[in-house]
């Protein structure tokens, strides 16, 4: 069974290439794939093969396949008709037609999904295949995406069936959660849930089944779906996909019909659909639409048969399912032929085709005869059985029978209308002259129609094949058997009544125009619903997404303040006491920070504000020192310095003062919100101390860092070892940020290339160590500063490397070291401009970043290869001559990567915010904002 | 454990100042607000762990050691703030280069939807409109 599914997938993938290579002939070969599914089904006749492969065992989902009798029947239909339609496609499509490869691929995917759907035993898997058929159907209906009607129809079918599918999924989950398994064969064997629960699940599942099978009130999508190419309609919307809903009814019926709502819902919806569809079919002028409404009507009939959930009705349902697939696919193929050879499907313009296309007419007549229930065709056998099923059912049965007779009468009438429209010679209409219809084009329809005759004659044999399914309804007694002739009785009388009624309706319809509206207003309801959803979305989005940053931030902050205040006032764990400070120095530093922060808010000059923010940062660094966090303090000092440099580099180009535009949120509101947030956060900080109730995870960190990480500095060892994943994410952010900065500043890709060239081409003096850029005397900023910077550069870089390696046991580490090296580069840049920077670091920043990331990731991966966990570090102790004992943890390599990334980021920032901004200011034509350079600070 | 009142006050002030700046339109000020908020958050995390000697094994008794866990988290946060600062600065510069100021503008798409909502119209997706037959 799995082979069948794989075969379909392979065929679908290779279909476009095959069609490109072989043209339409490839379709004959592809037809073998669904044909093989049908052939396999034939070899398995009378058996119930199963297959179970675990897929997501945690969720209990497996590839559980099981072919019962009904699945067997469906597989025959899906495979057999799929193959025949593919053969037909080879003649239907013009050779080299655009999109044929796509069509064939989607068609085969659909056939595969349908095969999976009928074979699966797992309800969740069934849902997956169910939705796959929906998606492929969407693609086939939207075969001509450039037509609005095609798009609309595809979307409508998708929305309606997906809605039903979701409802069905909920129903499945309810059943599955109750039973503890999603295998239907096990759910069916186990005890069912109780009344209301079961009823809800059943109604939800019925929503899915009925919407898929286009049963009222979901019928409207099917006629619209006729925008699909006719072969697709023949397969999807007559033979297979719309049968999925009916199939589900047939599959679940033996068990779930015990639920209260099952019979009333299915029978009423089915009968309504049958009458409405038949009525609407009578007024169609397009042959294909006539068939579509006919299909709706017949699906109603099938729903009644399976919904009734009795042994005889189920037997009738299975028979009708087969006969409908045969005759309706045949009829669609006939319409396709007519459309192709005459160029029209309008029955008012066709005339005299019966004589010109005799073979097509024979196929059409046989198919319609089966549809109308004329003996000895299969349709007759099925309909007789259905009448018999309701014949002994009291008053309800009588009502159902009357409706069935009326619906069948309509079926006879629109069948006649179809034949008349397609083949009759009409007075006053010029005879249509068709093109020649080839043998391979006509044969598929003939084969299908003939199969209807053969199956009807062999009704007795069919009975033994289908009875195992019907026996699942477990009724006692001798039971009904399919046969061509049961002798005189109510069913035969009803059949005669149907013919008479049908003839009368047809005769009456020829006299005057058929009354009635287009199709019941469900289509309009759907549209109103959709536009309502759309309107609601616009209103909600318009009300919540104001598009203003202060508004959005304000909303978030208000929530923070309100939630925080409420939680705090409703009994936060208030600490019992409070201490003023750990050391009085904290108060001194704190006063500075507070003053700087308040001033920073109120200043209107950019540079002043920046310096005040920097003071805050340095103050916080001092607090870190006082707290006993030297690594934090070191990093914070360095980061603050780099930040100030960056700000200066950018702010020299921006206006000195902030623009004084009127703000949407006025000053008073803003400050109130700010003070409120401050108060709430203070309260939270006050109460948060009590939040740490459990023993902190970090009590073991000191021991772990020595024994596993091989270092004494707990913070740094944790960064590169215990919490190395965290650091990995962090350095990735840095790489992304640096790349983002460069892409924002280098506005033209040629600027980026020029930068590369510049790096290699700086005219320099001196050897490798004390390299300096040759700068014209006039441009030199400060010769003393430049020389000092050059002299200090190596010392600083050396210090940074010391920090990098010392960090394992003392304050320092990759971050601090990288920042120090970055500051060394910054010094060179500030002293001598971009040429000096290029002389100091003649490498591309991206290269440094990439190398760093490679080293870090490589270290992590190496541990994996060596058999450890990702990022696990190993300790290496070696004795080297001269150097003595060398103690080395592999996590140091990770830290080297961090170091390089930080250096690369600073370099990228200097190149972008520094050098490139200089260049844009130097070259007026390159800088479109040269007239807006800010006033000097 | 008892809270340190100096920290509590500083955190409150840093948050208030940060929020006040973040609610501005000028991207430079928003960025400064973010930096102040970042400092406030870092202190808030720091407050969760005890102060003491630096968390380096061998410097002193382990009971007197400051809690290393908040420090580890803060170190990551500091460096990320640096990356974000660089990016926002580049953004501010780019905004200024393109439009002559560094103010955050209202989102055009959002304003379009607001206008649609005011006019009681749909979004104009074809499936929701009456077909023209």
């Amino acid at each position: 069974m799995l082979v069948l599914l794989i075969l379909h997938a392979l065929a679908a993938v290779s279909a476009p290439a095959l069609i490109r290579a072989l043209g339409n002939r490839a379709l004959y070969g592809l037809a073998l794939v669904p044909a093989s599914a049908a052939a396999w089904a034939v070899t398995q006749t009378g058996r119930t093969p199963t297959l179970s492969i675990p897929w997501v065992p945690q969720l209990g989902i497996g590839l559980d396949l099981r072919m019962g009798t009904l699945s067997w029947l469906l597989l025959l239909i899906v495979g057999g008709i799929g193959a025949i339609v593919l053969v037909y496609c080879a003649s239907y499509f013009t050779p080299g037609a655009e999109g044929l490869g796509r069509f064939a691929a989607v068609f085969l995917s659909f056939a595969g999904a349908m095969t999976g759907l009928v074979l699966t035993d797992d309800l969740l898997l069934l849902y997956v295949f169910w939705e796959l058929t929906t998606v492929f159907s969407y693609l086939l209906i939207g075969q001509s995406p450039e037509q609005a009607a095609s798009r609309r129809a595809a979307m409508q079918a998708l929305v309606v069936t997906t809605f039903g599918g979701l409802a069905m999924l909920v129903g499945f989950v309810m059943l599955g959660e109750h039973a503890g398994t999603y295998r239907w064969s096990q759910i069916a064997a186990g005890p069912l849930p109780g009344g209301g629960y079961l009823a809800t699940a059943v109604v939800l599942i019925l929503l899915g089944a009925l919407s898929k099978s286009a049963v009222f009130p979901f019928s409207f999508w099917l006629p619209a779906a006729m925008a699909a190419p006719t072969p697709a309609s023949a397969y999807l919307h007559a033979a297979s996909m719309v049968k999925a809903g009916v199939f589900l009814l047939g599959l679940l019926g033996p068990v779930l019909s015990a639920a209260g709502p099952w019979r009333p819902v299915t029978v009423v919806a089915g009968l309504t659909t049958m009458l409405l569809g038949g009525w609407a079919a009578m007024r169609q002028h397009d042959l294909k639409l006539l068939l579509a409404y006919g299909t709706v009507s017949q699906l109603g009939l099938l729903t009644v048969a399976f919904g009734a959930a009795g042994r005889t009705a189920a037997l009738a349902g299975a028979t009708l399912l087969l006969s409908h697939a045969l005759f309706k696919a045949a009829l669609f193929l006939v319409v396709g032929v007519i459309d192709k050879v005459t160029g029209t499907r309008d029955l008012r313009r066709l005339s005299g085709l019966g004589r010109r296309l005799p073979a097509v007419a024979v196929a059409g007549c046989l198919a319609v005869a089966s549809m109308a229930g004329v003996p000895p065709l299969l349709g007759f056998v099925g309909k007789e059985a259905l009448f018999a099923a309701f014949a002994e059912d009291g008053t309800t049965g009588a009502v159902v029978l009357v409706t069935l007779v009326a619906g069948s009468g309509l079926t006879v009438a629109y069948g006649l209308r179809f034949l008349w429209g397609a083949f009759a010679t009409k007075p006053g209409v010029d005879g249509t002259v068709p093109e020649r219809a080839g043998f391979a084009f006509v044969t598929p329809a003939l084969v299908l129609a003939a199969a209807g005759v053969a199956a009807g004659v062999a009704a007795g044999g069919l009975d033994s094949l289908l009875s195992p399914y019907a026996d699942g309804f477990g009724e006692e007694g001798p039971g009904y058997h399919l046969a061509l002739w049961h002798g005189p009785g109510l069913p035969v009388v009803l059949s005669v009544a149907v013919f008479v009624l049908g003839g009368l309706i047809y005769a009456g319809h020829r006299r005057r125009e058929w009354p009635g509206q287009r199709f019941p207003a469900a289509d309009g309801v759907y549209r109103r619903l959709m536009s309502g959803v759309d309107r609601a979305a616009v209103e909600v989005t318009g009300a919540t997404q104001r598009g203003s940053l202060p508004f959005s931030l304000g909303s978030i902050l208000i929530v923070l303040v309100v939630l925080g205040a409420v939680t705090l006032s409703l009994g936060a764990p208030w600490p019992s006491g409070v201490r003023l400070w750990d050391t009085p120095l904290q108060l001194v530093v704190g006063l500075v920070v507070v003053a700087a922060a308040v001033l920073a808010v109120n200043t209107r000059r950019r540079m002043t504000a920046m310096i005040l923010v920097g003071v805050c940062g340095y103050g916080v660094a001092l607090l870190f020192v006082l707290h006993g966090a030297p690594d934090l303090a070191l990093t914070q000092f360095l980061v603050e310095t780099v930040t100030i440099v960056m700000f200066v580099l950018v702010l020299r180009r921006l206006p000195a003062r902030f623009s004084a535009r009127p703000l949407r949120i006025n000053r008073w509101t803003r400050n109130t919100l700010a003070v409120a947030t401050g108060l709430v956060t203070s309260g939270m900080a006050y109460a948060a101390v009590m939040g740490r109730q459990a023993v902190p995870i970090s009590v073991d960190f000191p021991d772990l860092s020595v024994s596993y990480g091989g270092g004494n500095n707990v913070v740094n060892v944790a960064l590169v070892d215990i919490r190395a994943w965290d650091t990995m994410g962090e350095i990735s952010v840095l790489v992304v940020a640096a790349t983002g900065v460069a892409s924002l500043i280098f506005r033209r890709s040629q600027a980026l290339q020029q930068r590369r060239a510049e790096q290699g081409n700086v005219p320099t003096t001196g050897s490798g160590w004390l390299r300096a850029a040759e700068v014209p005397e006039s441009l030199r900023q400060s010769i003393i500063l430049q020389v000092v910077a050059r002299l200090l550069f190596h010392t600083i870089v050396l210090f940074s490397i010391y920090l990098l390696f010392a960090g394992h046991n003392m304050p320092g580490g990759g971050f601090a070291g990288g920042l120090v090296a970055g500051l060394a580069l910054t010094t060179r840049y500030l002293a001598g401009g971009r040429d000096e920077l290029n002389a100091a670091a003649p490498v591309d920043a991206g290269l440094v970043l990439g190398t760093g990331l490679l080293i870090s990731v490589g270290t992590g991966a190496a541990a994996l290869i060596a058999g450890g966990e990702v990022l696990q570090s190993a300790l290496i102790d070696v004795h080297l001559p001269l150097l003595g004992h060398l103690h080395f943890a592999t996590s140091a390599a990770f830290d080297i990567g961090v170091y390089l990334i930080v250096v690369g980021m600073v370099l990228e920032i200097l190149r972008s915010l520094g050098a490139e901004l200089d260049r844009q200011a130097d070259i007026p034509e390159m800088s479109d904002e040269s007239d807006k350079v800010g006033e000097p600070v | 454990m008892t809270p340190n009142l100096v920290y509590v006050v500083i955190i409150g002030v840093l948050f208030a100042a940060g929020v006040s700046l973040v609610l501005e339109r000028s991207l430079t000020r928003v960025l400064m607000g973010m930096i102040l908020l970042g400092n406030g958050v870092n202190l808030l995390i720091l407050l969760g762990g005890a102060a003491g000697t630096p968390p380096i094994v061998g410097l002193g008794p382990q009971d007197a050691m400051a809690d290393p866990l908040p420090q580890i988290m803060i170190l990551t946060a500091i460096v990320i703030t640096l990356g974000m600062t660089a990016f926002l600065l580049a953004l501010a510069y780019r905004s200024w280069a393109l439009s002559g100021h560094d103010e955050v503008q209202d989102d055009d798409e959002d304003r379009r939807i607001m206008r649609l909502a005011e006019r009681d119209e749909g979004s104009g997706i074809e499936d929701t409109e009456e077909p023209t037959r």
Side-chain angles (χ1 to χ4, degrees), chain B residues 33-115:
Chain B
M34 292 301 289
I35 294 177
L36 289 183
L37 277 178
N39 282 328
V41 171
N42 286 347
L43 281 183
L44 186 59
I45 300 175
L46 194 68
L47 186 63
T53 57
I56 295 174
V57 179
L59 276 191
Q62 275 199 19
D63 334 335
M65 192 184 280
D67 190 347
L69 190 60
Q71 300 192 14
I72 296 160
M73 296 182 186
I74 295 168
L75 197 62
T76 312
I78 292 175
V79 183
I80 295 239
T81 309
L82 175 67
M84 193 194 67
T85 309
F87 187 76
L88 278 182
L89 268 175
L91 206 60
Y93 171 76
R94 181 67 187 247
S95 157
W96 175 82
L98 289 177
S99 57
H101 57 77
D102 67 338
E103 290 172 12
V104 185
Q105 297 300 301
D106 283 354
D107 187 71
D108 285 342
E109 180 66 17
D110 282 346
R111 300 205 70 80
R112 195 181 67 80
I113 290 175
M114 275 162 64
R115 279 197 301 277

Side-chain angles (χ1 to χ4, degrees), chain A residues 123 165-177 182 197 200-205:
Chain A
L123 290 183
L166 281 175
M168 184 183 82
L169 178 63
V170 176
F172 282 171
V173 169
M174 287 176 74
L175 280 185
E177 288 305 310
Y182 283 93
Y197 188 87
T200 314
V202 162
V203 167
L204 289 170
I205 291 174

Side-chain angles (χ1 to χ4, degrees), chain A residues 650-727:
Chain A
V650 172
L651 291 194
R652 67 196 161 131
R653 305 292 309 277
L654 297 183
R657 289 169 185 277
F658 295 112
S659 44
R661 295 192 167 211
L663 293 163
R664 189 173 285 260
I665 301 179
N666 66 40
R667 202 175 172 74
W668 188 84
T669 321
R670 211 154 42 85
N671 288 341
T672 312
L673 188 53
V675 170
T677 314
L679 283 176
V680 167
T681 331
S682 278
M684 280 155 63
Y686 186 71
V689 175
M690 296 305 288
R692 287 193 84 175
Q693 302 284 351
V695 179
I697 190 179
S698 53
V699 288
D700 296 328
F701 275 19
D703 293 334
L704 284 176
S705 80
V706 174
S707 55
Y708 285 97
N712 292 335
N713 186 343
V714 182
V715 172
N716 275 337
V717 171
L719 276 178
V720 296
D721 192 322
I722 303 175
R723 287 172 58 89
W725 271 117
D726 215 19
T727 313

Side-chain angles (χ1 to χ4, degrees), chain A residues 534-535 603 659 698 719, chain B residues 29 67 75 103 121 123 126:
Chain A
D534 183 48
R535 282 283 307 122
T603 177
S659 44
S698 53
L719 276 178
Chain B
R29 290 196 124 185
D67 190 347
L75 197 62
E103 290 172 12
E121 284 176 9
S123 65
E126 61 183 17

Side-chain angles (χ1 to χ4, degrees), chain A residues 624-879:
Chain A
F624 289 153
V625 174
L626 297 174
H627 194 90
D631 279 298
L632 290 191
L634 183 59
T635 315
Q636 173 88 0
F637 273 121
L638 294 167
V639 162
E640 214 50 61
T641 312
V642 174
T643 305
I644 287 179
V645 171
M646 288 192 308
F647 262 104
V648 173
L649 288 177
V650 172
L651 291 194
R652 67 196 161 131
R653 305 292 309 277
L654 297 183
R657 289 169 185 277
F658 295 112
S659 44
R661 295 192 167 211
L663 293 163
R664 189 173 285 260
I665 301 179
N666 66 40
R667 202 175 172 74
W668 188 84
T669 321
R670 211 154 42 85
N671 288 341
T672 312
L673 188 53
V675 170
T677 314
L679 283 176
V680 167
T681 331
S682 278
M684 280 155 63
Y686 186 71
V689 175
M690 296 305 288
R692 287 193 84 175
Q693 302 284 351
V695 179
I697 190 179
S698 53
V699 288
D700 296 328
F701 275 19
D703 293 334
L704 284 176
S705 80
V706 174
S707 55
Y708 285 97
N712 292 335
N713 186 343
V714 182
V715 172
N716 275 337
V717 171
L719 276 178
V720 296
D721 192 322
I722 303 175
R723 287 172 58 89
W725 271 117
D726 215 19
T727 313
M728 184 71 92
E730 176 193 359
I731 55 181
S732 311
V733 171
L734 288 187
V735 172
V736 172
T739 315
V741 170
S743 59
L744 278 170
I745 300 299
F746 290 94
R747 272 172 294 156
R748 296 173 175 83
S749 52
Q750 78 216 47
L752 211 63
Q753 282 152 13
Q754 200 173 343
R755 175 185 72 156
R756 299 247 155 74
E758 254 178 38
Q759 281 155 210
N761 272 331
V762 185
T764 52
T765 54
S767 64
W769 272 99
L770 284 176
R771 266 213 302 187
E774 263 181 10
V775 183
E777 206 68 33
S778 58
L779 284 180
R780 292 231 169 124
Q781 281 140 323
S782 155
I783 187 74
I784 298 176
L785 187 59
Q786 271 188 35
V787 170
V788 170
R790 272 179 218 156
L791 285 172
L792 282 176
F793 180 68
H794 304 95
T795 320
I796 305 179
V797 170
L798 205 61
F799 176 62
S800 77
I801 294 172
Y802 165 76
L803 276 181
L804 164 64
F805 289 108
H808 227 52
N809 290 316
M810 279 176 280
F815 283 118
L819 285 167
V820 168
L823 283 173
L825 290 171
T826 312
T827 319
R828 288 293 290 271
Y829 168 73
L830 291 179
R834 61 178 188 271
D835 288 338
E836 191 76 16
L837 177 66
N838 287 337
V843 284
D844 187 63
L847 192 68
V848 182
L849 285 167
T851 314
L853 201 57
L854 188 71
I855 291 177
S856 292
V857 174
T859 316
L864 195 66
I865 293 165
E869 302 227 350
V870 181
L871 294 169
Q872 186 179 357
S873 56
L875 304 179
I876 301 166
D877 287 275
V878 282
H879 276 286

Side-chain angles (χ1 to χ4, degrees), chain A residues 26 59 134 195 215 218 249 331 420 431 438 470 494 533 620 794 834:
Chain A
L59 293 175
T134 304
V215 172
F218 304 108
L249 291 182
L331 287 176
W420 167 79
L494 289 176
V533 168
V620 170
H794 304 95
R834 61 178 188 271

